[in-house]
Amino acid sequence: MTMPLFAVICTDKPGALELRKSNRQAHLDYIESTGVVQQAGPFLDAEGAMCGSLLILDVADMTAARAWADSDPYAQAGVFADVRIETWNKVVG
């Protein structure tokens, strides 16, 4: 039986693009150092600018997923208006 993954779905606060950009390297370093991110990337608005994030985490449980998301430098910097975490079962890919 495969363990479920966790989808972290983040929506940026309006006007947070510069804050996002200034914290991007710390966010990427955090992803690399924790080693639990299976896939990740930004959502894009109609103009192609980053406006949110989708991350797929391979962690033990929802508590670990929430702790990871809360420690993300983007979250720490206040980039996000909303962070939702859903248990996700990978079927294809």
Side-chain angles (χ1 to χ4, degrees):
M1 180 170 143
T2 358
M3 296 298 292
L5 299 170
F6 297 88
V8 181
I9 304 154
C10 310
T11 304
D12 290 4
K13 291 178 180 172
L17 183 58
E18 291 309 313
L19 184 60
R20 171 184 271 274
K21 287 179 180 178
S22 68
N23 285 279
R24 190 160 198 257
Q25 191 57 55
H27 167 74
L28 295 173
D29 291 346
Y30 178 64
I31 287 173
E32 185 174 339
S33 71
T34 59
V36 299
V37 178
Q38 298 296 303
Q39 294 184 354
F43 291 116
L44 304 176
D45 65 16
E47 288 77 43
M50 295 178 288
C51 63
S53 298
L54 171 64
L55 304 107
I56 305 297
L57 306 181
D58 185 355
V59 294
D61 54 29
M62 183 62 76
T63 300
R66 175 56 63 193
W68 189 96
D70 289 347
S71 297
D72 181 345
Y74 279 165
Q76 296 283 308
V79 171
F80 302 131
D82 179 67
V83 176
R84 193 172 103 230
I85 302 176
E86 299 286 344
T87 304
W88 183 65
N89 183 34
K90 181 179 176 181
V91 175
V92 177

Coordinates of all heavy atoms in Angstrom, one line a residue:
M1 N 0.8 -1.2 0.0 CA 0.0 0.0 0.0 C 0.9 1.2 0.0 O 1.8 1.3 0.8 CB -0.9 0.0 1.2 CG -1.8 1.2 1.3 SD -3.0 0.9 2.7 CE -3.1 2.5 3.3
T2 N 0.6 2.2 -0.9 CA 1.3 3.4 -0.9 C 0.8 4.4 0.1 O -0.4 4.5 0.3 CB 1.2 4.1 -2.3 OG1 0.4 3.3 -3.2 CG2 2.5 4.3 -2.9
M3 N 1.7 5.1 0.6 CA 1.3 6.2 1.6 C 0.8 7.4 0.8 O 1.3 7.7 -0.3 CB 2.6 6.6 2.4 CG 3.1 5.5 3.3 SD 2.0 4.9 4.5 CE 1.9 6.4 5.6
P4 N -0.2 8.1 1.3 CA -0.7 9.2 0.6 C 0.4 10.4 0.6 O 1.2 10.4 1.5 CB -1.9 9.7 1.4 CG -1.7 9.1 2.8 CD -0.9 7.8 2.6
L5 N 0.2 11.2 -0.3 CA 1.0 12.4 -0.4 C 0.2 13.6 0.1 O -1.0 13.4 0.3 CB 1.5 12.6 -1.8 CG 2.4 11.5 -2.4 CD1 2.6 11.7 -3.9 CD2 3.7 11.4 -1.7
F6 N 0.8 14.8 0.2 CA 0.0 15.9 0.6 C 0.2 17.1 -0.4 O 1.4 17.4 -0.7 CB 0.4 16.3 2.0 CG 0.1 15.3 3.0 CD1 1.0 14.2 3.3 CD2 -1.1 15.2 3.6 CE1 0.7 13.2 4.2 CE2 -1.5 14.2 4.5 CZ -0.5 13.2 4.8
A7 N -0.9 17.6 -0.9 CA -0.8 18.8 -1.8 C -1.0 20.0 -1.0 O -1.9 20.2 -0.3 CB -1.9 18.7 -2.8
V8 N 0.0 20.9 -1.1 CA 0.0 22.2 -0.4 C -0.3 23.2 -1.5 O 0.4 23.4 -2.5 CB 1.4 22.5 0.2 CG1 1.3 23.9 1.0 CG2 1.8 21.4 1.2
I9 N -1.5 23.9 -1.3 CA -2.0 24.8 -2.4 C -2.1 26.2 -1.8 O -2.8 26.4 -0.8 CB -3.4 24.3 -2.8 CG1 -3.4 22.8 -3.2 CG2 -4.0 25.2 -3.8 CD1 -4.7 22.1 -3.1
C10 N -1.2 27.0 -2.3 CA -1.0 28.4 -1.7 C -1.5 29.5 -2.7 O -1.2 29.4 -3.9 CB 0.4 28.6 -1.4 SG 1.2 27.3 -0.4
T11 N -2.2 30.5 -2.2 CA -2.6 31.6 -2.9 C -1.9 32.8 -2.4 O -1.9 33.1 -1.2 CB -4.1 31.8 -2.8 OG1 -4.7 30.6 -3.3 CG2 -4.5 33.0 -3.7
D12 N -1.2 33.6 -3.2 CA -0.5 34.8 -2.8 C -1.4 35.9 -2.4 O -2.5 36.0 -3.0 CB 0.5 35.3 -3.9 CG 1.6 34.4 -4.1 OD1 1.8 33.3 -3.5 OD2 2.5 34.8 -5.0
K13 N -1.0 36.7 -1.5 CA -1.7 38.0 -1.1 C -1.6 38.9 -2.4 O -0.6 38.9 -3.1 CB -1.1 38.7 0.0 CG -1.2 38.0 1.4 CD -0.5 38.7 2.5 CE -0.7 38.0 3.8 NZ 0.1 38.6 4.8
P14 N -2.7 39.7 -2.6 CA -2.6 40.6 -3.7 C -1.3 41.5 -3.5 O -1.0 42.0 -2.4 CB -3.8 41.5 -3.6 CG -4.8 40.6 -2.9 CD -3.9 39.7 -1.9
G15 N -0.6 41.8 -4.6 CA 0.6 42.6 -4.5 C 1.8 42.0 -3.9 O 2.8 42.7 -3.5
A16 N 1.8 40.7 -3.7 CA 2.9 40.0 -3.0 C 4.1 39.6 -3.9 O 5.0 39.0 -3.5 CB 2.4 38.9 -2.2
L17 N 4.0 39.9 -5.2 CA 5.0 39.4 -6.2 C 6.4 39.8 -5.8 O 7.3 39.0 -5.8 CB 4.7 39.9 -7.6 CG 5.6 39.4 -8.7 CD1 5.6 37.8 -8.7 CD2 5.2 39.9 -10.0
E18 N 6.7 41.0 -5.4 CA 8.0 41.4 -5.0 C 8.5 40.7 -3.8 O 9.7 40.3 -3.7 CB 8.1 43.0 -4.9 CG 8.0 43.7 -6.3 CD 8.9 43.2 -7.4 OE1 10.1 42.9 -7.1 OE2 8.4 42.9 -8.5
L19 N 7.6 40.6 -2.8 CA 7.9 39.8 -1.6 C 8.3 38.4 -1.9 O 9.2 37.8 -1.4 CB 6.7 39.9 -0.6 CG 6.9 39.3 0.8 CD1 8.1 39.9 1.5 CD2 5.6 39.4 1.6
R20 N 7.5 37.8 -2.8 CA 7.8 36.4 -3.3 C 9.1 36.4 -3.9 O 9.9 35.5 -3.6 CB 6.7 36.0 -4.3 CG 7.0 34.7 -5.0 CD 5.9 34.4 -6.1 NE 4.8 33.6 -5.5 CZ 4.8 32.3 -5.4 NH1 5.9 31.6 -5.7 NH2 3.8 31.7 -4.8
K21 N 9.4 37.3 -4.8 CA 10.7 37.3 -5.5 C 11.9 37.4 -4.6 O 12.9 36.7 -4.7 CB 10.8 38.4 -6.6 CG 9.9 38.1 -7.8 CD 10.0 39.3 -8.8 CE 9.2 39.1 -10.0 NZ 9.3 40.3 -10.9
S22 N 11.7 38.3 -3.6 CA 12.8 38.5 -2.6 C 13.1 37.3 -1.7 O 14.1 37.2 -1.1 CB 12.6 39.8 -1.8 OG 11.5 39.7 -1.0
N23 N 12.1 36.4 -1.6 CA 12.2 35.2 -0.7 C 12.4 34.0 -1.5 O 12.4 32.9 -0.9 CB 11.0 35.2 0.2 CG 11.1 36.2 1.3 OD1 11.8 35.9 2.3 ND2 10.5 37.3 1.2
R24 N 12.4 34.1 -2.8 CA 12.4 32.9 -3.7 C 13.6 31.9 -3.4 O 13.5 30.7 -3.3 CB 12.4 33.3 -5.1 CG 12.1 32.1 -6.1 CD 11.6 32.5 -7.4 NE 11.0 31.4 -8.1 CZ 11.5 30.7 -9.1 NH1 12.7 31.0 -9.5 NH2 10.9 29.7 -9.6
Q25 N 14.8 32.5 -3.3 CA 16.0 31.6 -3.1 C 15.9 30.9 -1.8 O 16.2 29.7 -1.7 CB 17.3 32.4 -3.2 CG 18.5 31.5 -3.3 CD 18.4 30.5 -4.5 OE1 18.3 30.9 -5.6 NE2 18.6 29.2 -4.2
A26 N 15.5 31.6 -0.7 CA 15.3 30.9 0.6 C 14.3 29.8 0.5 O 14.4 28.7 1.0 CB 14.9 31.9 1.6
H27 N 13.2 30.0 -0.3 CA 12.1 29.0 -0.5 C 12.7 27.8 -1.2 O 12.5 26.7 -0.8 CB 11.0 29.7 -1.3 CG 10.0 28.7 -1.8 ND1 9.1 28.1 -1.1 CD2 9.8 28.3 -3.1 CE1 8.3 27.3 -1.9 NE2 8.7 27.4 -3.1
L28 N 13.5 28.1 -2.3 CA 14.1 27.0 -3.1 C 15.1 26.2 -2.2 O 15.2 25.0 -2.3 CB 14.7 27.5 -4.3 CG 13.7 28.1 -5.4 CD1 14.4 28.7 -6.5 CD2 12.7 27.1 -5.8
D29 N 15.9 26.9 -1.4 CA 16.9 26.3 -0.6 C 16.2 25.4 0.5 O 16.6 24.3 0.8 CB 17.7 27.3 0.2 CG 18.7 28.0 -0.8 OD1 18.9 27.6 -1.9 OD2 19.2 29.1 -0.3
Y30 N 15.0 25.8 1.0 CA 14.3 25.1 2.0 C 13.7 23.8 1.3 O 13.8 22.7 1.9 CB 13.1 25.9 2.5 CG 12.2 25.3 3.5 CD1 12.6 24.8 4.7 CD2 10.8 25.1 3.2 CE1 11.8 24.2 5.6 CE2 10.0 24.5 4.0 CZ 10.4 24.0 5.3 OH 9.6 23.4 6.2
I31 N 13.2 23.9 0.1 CA 12.7 22.7 -0.6 C 13.8 21.7 -0.7 O 13.7 20.5 -0.4 CB 12.1 23.1 -2.0 CG1 10.8 23.8 -1.8 CG2 12.0 21.9 -2.9 CD1 10.3 24.4 -3.1
E32 N 15.0 22.2 -1.2 CA 16.1 21.3 -1.4 C 16.6 20.6 -0.1 O 16.8 19.4 0.0 CB 17.3 22.0 -2.1 CG 18.4 21.1 -2.4 CD 19.5 21.7 -3.2 OE1 19.2 22.7 -3.9 OE2 20.6 21.2 -3.2
S33 N 16.7 21.4 1.0 CA 17.3 21.0 2.2 C 16.4 20.0 3.0 O 16.8 19.1 3.7 CB 17.6 22.1 3.1 OG 16.5 22.7 3.7
T34 N 15.0 20.1 2.8 CA 14.1 19.2 3.5 C 14.0 17.9 2.8 O 13.7 16.9 3.5 CB 12.7 19.9 3.7 OG1 12.2 20.2 2.4 CG2 12.8 21.1 4.6
G35 N 14.1 17.8 1.5 CA 14.1 16.6 0.8 C 12.7 15.8 0.8 O 12.7 14.7 0.5
V36 N 11.6 16.5 1.0 CA 10.3 15.9 1.0 C 9.4 16.3 -0.1 O 8.3 15.8 -0.3 CB 9.6 16.1 2.4 CG1 10.4 15.5 3.5 CG2 9.3 17.5 2.6
V37 N 9.9 17.3 -0.9 CA 9.0 17.8 -2.0 C 9.2 16.9 -3.2 O 10.3 16.8 -3.8 CB 9.4 19.3 -2.3 CG1 8.5 19.8 -3.4 CG2 9.2 20.1 -1.0
Q38 N 8.1 16.3 -3.7 CA 8.1 15.5 -4.9 C 8.0 16.3 -6.2 O 8.6 16.0 -7.2 CB 7.0 14.5 -4.8 CG 7.1 13.5 -3.6 CD 8.3 12.7 -3.7 OE1 8.5 11.9 -4.6 NE2 9.1 12.7 -2.7
Q39 N 7.1 17.3 -6.1 CA 6.9 18.2 -7.2 C 6.5 19.6 -6.7 O 6.0 19.6 -5.6 CB 5.8 17.7 -8.1 CG 6.0 16.4 -8.8 CD 4.9 16.1 -9.8 OE1 3.9 16.7 -9.9 NE2 5.1 15.0 -10.5
A40 N 6.9 20.6 -7.4 CA 6.5 22.0 -7.0 C 6.6 22.9 -8.1 O 7.3 22.7 -9.1 CB 7.5 22.4 -5.9
G41 N 5.8 24.0 -8.0 CA 5.9 25.0 -9.0 C 4.9 26.1 -8.7 O 3.9 25.9 -7.9
P42 N 5.1 27.3 -9.3 CA 4.1 28.4 -9.0 C 2.9 28.3 -9.9 O 2.9 27.8 -11.0 CB 5.0 29.6 -9.4 CG 5.9 29.1 -10.5 CD 6.2 27.7 -10.2
F43 N 1.8 28.9 -9.4 CA 0.7 29.2 -10.2 C 1.0 30.5 -10.9 O 1.7 31.3 -10.4 CB -0.6 29.3 -9.4 CG -1.1 28.1 -8.8 CD1 -1.1 27.9 -7.4 CD2 -1.5 27.0 -9.6 CE1 -1.6 26.7 -6.9 CE2 -2.0 25.8 -9.1 CZ -2.0 25.6 -7.7
L44 N 0.4 30.7 -12.1 CA 0.6 32.0 -12.9 C -0.7 32.7 -13.1 O -1.7 32.0 -13.4 CB 1.3 31.6 -14.2 CG 2.6 30.8 -14.1 CD1 3.1 30.5 -15.5 CD2 3.7 31.6 -13.3
D45 N -0.6 34.0 -13.1 CA -1.8 34.8 -13.4 C -1.9 35.0 -14.9 O -1.1 34.4 -15.7 CB -1.8 36.1 -12.6 CG -0.7 37.1 -13.0 OD1 -0.1 36.9 -14.1 OD2 -0.5 38.0 -12.2
A46 N -2.9 35.8 -15.3 CA -3.2 36.0 -16.7 C -2.0 36.6 -17.5 O -1.9 36.4 -18.7 CB -4.5 36.8 -16.9
E47 N -1.2 37.3 -16.7 CA 0.0 38.0 -17.3 C 1.2 37.1 -17.3 O 2.3 37.5 -17.7 CB 0.3 39.3 -16.7 CG -0.7 40.4 -17.0 CD -2.1 40.2 -16.2 OE1 -2.0 39.9 -15.0 OE2 -3.1 40.4 -16.9
G48 N 1.1 35.9 -16.7 CA 2.3 35.0 -16.5 C 3.1 35.3 -15.3 O 4.2 34.7 -15.2
A49 N 2.6 36.1 -14.4 CA 3.4 36.4 -13.2 C 3.0 35.3 -12.1 O 1.9 34.9 -12.0 CB 3.1 37.8 -12.6
M50 N 4.0 35.0 -11.2 CA 3.7 34.0 -10.2 C 2.7 34.6 -9.2 O 2.8 35.8 -8.8 CB 5.0 33.7 -9.4 CG 6.1 33.0 -10.3 SD 7.6 32.7 -9.4 CE 8.3 34.4 -9.3
C51 N 1.7 33.7 -8.8 CA 0.7 34.2 -7.9 C 0.2 33.2 -6.9 O -0.8 33.4 -6.2 CB -0.5 34.7 -8.7 SG -1.3 33.3 -9.7
G52 N 1.0 32.1 -6.7 CA 0.7 31.1 -5.8 C 1.6 29.9 -6.0 O 2.5 30.0 -6.8
S53 N 1.4 28.9 -5.2 CA 2.3 27.7 -5.3 C 1.5 26.4 -5.1 O 0.5 26.4 -4.4 CB 3.3 27.7 -4.2 OG 4.2 28.9 -4.2
L54 N 2.0 25.4 -5.8 CA 1.5 24.0 -5.6 C 2.8 23.1 -5.3 O 3.7 23.2 -6.0 CB 0.8 23.5 -6.8 CG 0.5 22.0 -6.8 CD1 -0.5 21.7 -5.7 CD2 -0.1 21.5 -8.1
L55 N 2.7 22.5 -4.1 CA 3.8 21.6 -3.7 C 3.2 20.2 -3.3 O 2.2 20.2 -2.7 CB 4.6 22.2 -2.5 CG 5.1 23.6 -2.7 CD1 4.3 24.6 -2.0 CD2 6.6 23.6 -2.4
I56 N 3.9 19.2 -3.8 CA 3.4 17.8 -3.4 C 4.5 17.3 -2.4 O 5.7 17.2 -2.8 CB 3.3 16.9 -4.6 CG1 2.4 17.5 -5.7 CG2 2.9 15.5 -4.2 CD1 0.9 17.7 -5.2
L57 N 4.1 17.0 -1.2 CA 5.0 16.6 -0.1 C 4.8 15.1 0.1 O 3.7 14.6 0.2 CB 4.7 17.3 1.2 CG 4.7 18.9 1.1 CD1 4.4 19.4 2.5 CD2 6.0 19.4 0.6
D58 N 5.9 14.4 0.4 CA 5.9 13.1 0.8 C 6.4 13.1 2.3 O 7.6 13.1 2.6 CB 6.9 12.2 0.0 CG 6.9 10.7 0.3 OD1 6.2 10.4 1.3 OD2 7.5 10.0 -0.4
V59 N 5.4 13.2 3.2 CA 5.7 13.3 4.6 C 4.8 12.3 5.4 O 3.9 11.7 4.8 CB 5.5 14.7 5.2 CG1 6.6 15.7 4.6 CG2 4.1 15.2 4.9
A60 N 5.0 12.1 6.6 CA 4.3 11.0 7.4 C 2.8 11.2 7.5 O 2.1 10.3 7.5 CB 5.0 10.9 8.8
D61 N 2.4 12.5 7.8 CA 1.0 12.8 8.1 C 0.7 14.2 7.9 O 1.6 15.0 7.5 CB 0.7 12.3 9.5 CG 1.6 12.9 10.6 OD1 2.1 14.0 10.4 OD2 1.8 12.2 11.6
M62 N -0.6 14.6 8.1 CA -1.0 15.9 7.9 C -0.3 16.9 8.9 O 0.0 18.0 8.5 CB -2.5 16.0 8.2 CG -3.1 17.4 7.9 SD -3.0 18.0 6.2 CE -4.2 17.1 5.4
T63 N 0.0 16.4 10.1 CA 0.7 17.3 11.0 C 2.1 17.7 10.5 O 2.5 18.8 10.6 CB 0.9 16.6 12.4 OG1 -0.4 16.3 12.9 CG2 1.6 17.4 13.4
A64 N 2.8 16.7 9.9 CA 4.1 17.0 9.3 C 4.0 17.9 8.1 O 4.8 18.8 7.9 CB 4.8 15.7 8.9
A65 N 2.9 17.7 7.3 CA 2.7 18.6 6.1 C 2.4 20.0 6.6 O 3.0 21.0 6.0 CB 1.5 18.1 5.3
R66 N 1.6 20.2 7.6 CA 1.4 21.5 8.1 C 2.6 22.2 8.7 O 2.9 23.4 8.4 CB 0.3 21.5 9.2 CG -0.1 22.8 9.9 CD -0.5 23.9 9.0 NE -1.7 23.7 8.3 CZ -2.1 24.4 7.2 NH1 -1.4 25.4 6.8 NH2 -3.2 24.1 6.6
A67 N 3.4 21.4 9.4 CA 4.7 21.9 10.0 C 5.6 22.4 8.9 O 6.2 23.4 8.9 CB 5.3 20.9 10.9
W68 N 5.7 21.6 7.8 CA 6.5 21.9 6.7 C 6.1 23.2 6.0 O 6.9 24.1 5.8 CB 6.6 20.8 5.6 CG 7.6 21.0 4.5 CD1 8.8 20.5 4.5 CD2 7.5 21.9 3.4 NE1 9.5 21.0 3.4 CE2 8.7 21.8 2.7 CE3 6.4 22.7 2.9 CZ2 8.9 22.5 1.5 CZ3 6.7 23.4 1.7 CH2 7.9 23.3 1.0
A69 N 4.8 23.3 5.8 CA 4.2 24.5 5.1 C 4.4 25.7 6.0 O 4.7 26.8 5.5 CB 2.7 24.3 4.8
D70 N 4.2 25.6 7.3 CA 4.4 26.7 8.2 C 5.8 27.2 8.3 O 6.0 28.4 8.5 CB 3.9 26.4 9.6 CG 2.4 26.2 9.7 OD1 1.7 26.6 8.8 OD2 1.9 25.7 10.7
S71 N 6.8 26.4 8.0 CA 8.2 26.7 8.1 C 8.7 27.2 6.7 O 9.9 27.7 6.6 CB 9.0 25.5 8.5 OG 8.6 25.2 9.9
D72 N 8.0 27.1 5.7 CA 8.4 27.6 4.3 C 8.7 29.1 4.4 O 7.9 29.8 5.0 CB 7.2 27.3 3.3 CG 7.5 27.8 1.9 OD1 8.5 28.5 1.7 OD2 6.8 27.3 1.0
P73 N 9.8 29.5 3.9 CA 10.2 30.9 3.9 C 9.1 31.8 3.3 O 9.0 33.0 3.8 CB 11.5 31.0 3.2 CG 12.1 29.7 3.4 CD 11.0 28.7 3.4
Y74 N 8.4 31.4 2.3 CA 7.3 32.2 1.8 C 6.3 32.4 2.8 O 5.8 33.5 3.0 CB 6.7 31.5 0.6 CG 7.4 31.6 -0.8 CD1 7.0 30.8 -1.8 CD2 8.4 32.6 -1.0 CE1 7.6 30.9 -3.1 CE2 9.0 32.7 -2.2 CZ 8.6 31.8 -3.2 OH 9.2 32.0 -4.5
A75 N 5.9 31.4 3.6 CA 4.9 31.5 4.6 C 5.4 32.4 5.7 O 4.7 33.3 6.2 CB 4.5 30.2 5.2
Q76 N 6.7 32.2 6.1 CA 7.3 33.0 7.2 C 7.3 34.5 6.8 O 7.2 35.4 7.7 CB 8.7 32.5 7.4 CG 8.8 31.1 8.0 CD 8.4 31.0 9.4 OE1 9.0 31.8 10.2 NE2 7.5 30.2 9.8
A77 N 7.5 34.8 5.5 CA 7.6 36.2 5.0 C 6.2 36.8 4.8 O 6.1 38.0 4.6 CB 8.4 36.2 3.7
G78 N 5.1 36.0 4.9 CA 3.8 36.5 4.7 C 3.3 36.7 3.3 O 2.5 37.5 3.0
V79 N 3.9 35.9 2.4 CA 3.5 35.9 1.0 C 2.1 35.4 0.7 O 1.4 36.0 -0.1 CB 4.5 35.1 0.1 CG1 4.0 34.9 -1.3 CG2 5.9 35.7 0.2
F80 N 1.6 34.5 1.5 CA 0.4 33.8 1.2 C -0.8 34.4 1.9 O -0.8 34.7 3.1 CB 0.5 32.3 1.6 CG 1.6 31.6 0.8 CD1 2.4 30.8 1.6 CD2 1.7 31.7 -0.5 CE1 3.4 30.1 0.9 CE2 2.7 31.0 -1.2 CZ 3.6 30.2 -0.5
A81 N -1.9 34.5 1.1 CA -3.2 34.9 1.7 C -3.9 33.6 2.3 O -4.7 33.7 3.2 CB -4.1 35.5 0.6
D82 N -3.6 32.5 1.6 CA -4.3 31.2 2.0 C -3.4 30.1 1.7 O -2.7 30.0 0.7 CB -5.6 31.1 1.1 CG -6.3 29.8 1.5 OD1 -6.9 29.7 2.6 OD2 -6.4 28.9 0.6
V83 N -3.4 29.1 2.6 CA -2.6 27.8 2.4 C -3.6 26.7 2.8 O -4.1 26.7 3.9 CB -1.4 27.8 3.3 CG1 -0.7 26.4 3.1 CG2 -0.4 28.9 3.0
R84 N -3.8 25.8 1.8 CA -4.7 24.7 2.0 C -3.9 23.4 1.8 O -3.0 23.4 0.9 CB -5.8 24.8 0.9 CG -7.0 23.8 1.2 CD -8.1 24.1 0.2 NE -8.1 23.0 -0.8 CZ -8.1 23.3 -2.1 NH1 -8.2 24.5 -2.6 NH2 -8.1 22.3 -3.0
I85 N -4.1 22.5 2.6 CA -3.4 21.2 2.5 C -4.4 20.1 2.4 O -5.3 20.0 3.2 CB -2.4 20.9 3.7 CG1 -1.4 22.1 3.9 CG2 -1.7 19.6 3.5 CD1 -0.5 21.9 5.1
E86 N -4.2 19.3 1.3 CA -5.1 18.2 1.0 C -4.3 16.9 1.0 O -3.2 16.8 0.4 CB -5.8 18.4 -0.3 CG -6.7 19.6 -0.4 CD -8.0 19.5 0.4 OE1 -8.4 18.4 0.7 OE2 -8.6 20.6 0.6
T87 N -4.9 15.8 1.5 CA -4.3 14.5 1.3 C -4.5 14.1 -0.1 O -5.6 14.3 -0.6 CB -4.9 13.5 2.3 OG1 -4.8 14.0 3.6 CG2 -4.3 12.1 2.2
W88 N -3.5 13.6 -0.8 CA -3.6 13.3 -2.2 C -3.1 11.9 -2.5 O -2.0 11.5 -2.0 CB -2.7 14.4 -2.9 CG -2.8 14.3 -4.4 CD1 -3.9 14.5 -5.2 CD2 -1.7 14.0 -5.3 NE1 -3.5 14.3 -6.6 CE2 -2.1 14.1 -6.6 CE3 -0.3 13.8 -5.1 CZ2 -1.3 13.9 -7.7 CZ3 0.5 13.6 -6.2 CH2 0.0 13.6 -7.5
N89 N -3.8 11.2 -3.3 CA -3.4 9.9 -3.8 C -3.0 9.9 -5.2 O -3.8 10.1 -6.1 CB -4.6 8.9 -3.6 CG -4.2 7.5 -3.9 OD1 -3.1 7.1 -3.7 ND2 -5.1 6.7 -4.4
K90 N -1.7 9.8 -5.5 CA -1.2 9.8 -6.8 C -1.6 8.5 -7.6 O -1.4 7.4 -7.1 CB 0.4 9.9 -6.8 CG 1.0 9.9 -8.2 CD 2.5 10.0 -8.1 CE 3.1 9.9 -9.4 NZ 4.6 10.0 -9.3
V91 N -2.3 8.7 -8.7 CA -2.8 7.6 -9.5 C -2.0 7.5 -10.8 O -1.6 6.4 -11.3 CB -4.3 7.7 -9.8 CG1 -4.7 6.6 -10.7 CG2 -5.0 7.7 -8.5
V92 N -1.7 8.6 -11.5 CA -1.0 8.6 -12.8 C 0.2 9.5 -12.7 O 0.2 10.6 -12.0 CB -2.0 9.2 -13.9 CG1 -1.2 9.3 -15.2 CG2 -3.2 8.3 -14.0
G93 N 1.3 9.1 -13.3 CA 2.5 10.0 -13.4 C 3.6 9.5 -12.6 O 3.6 8.7 -11.7

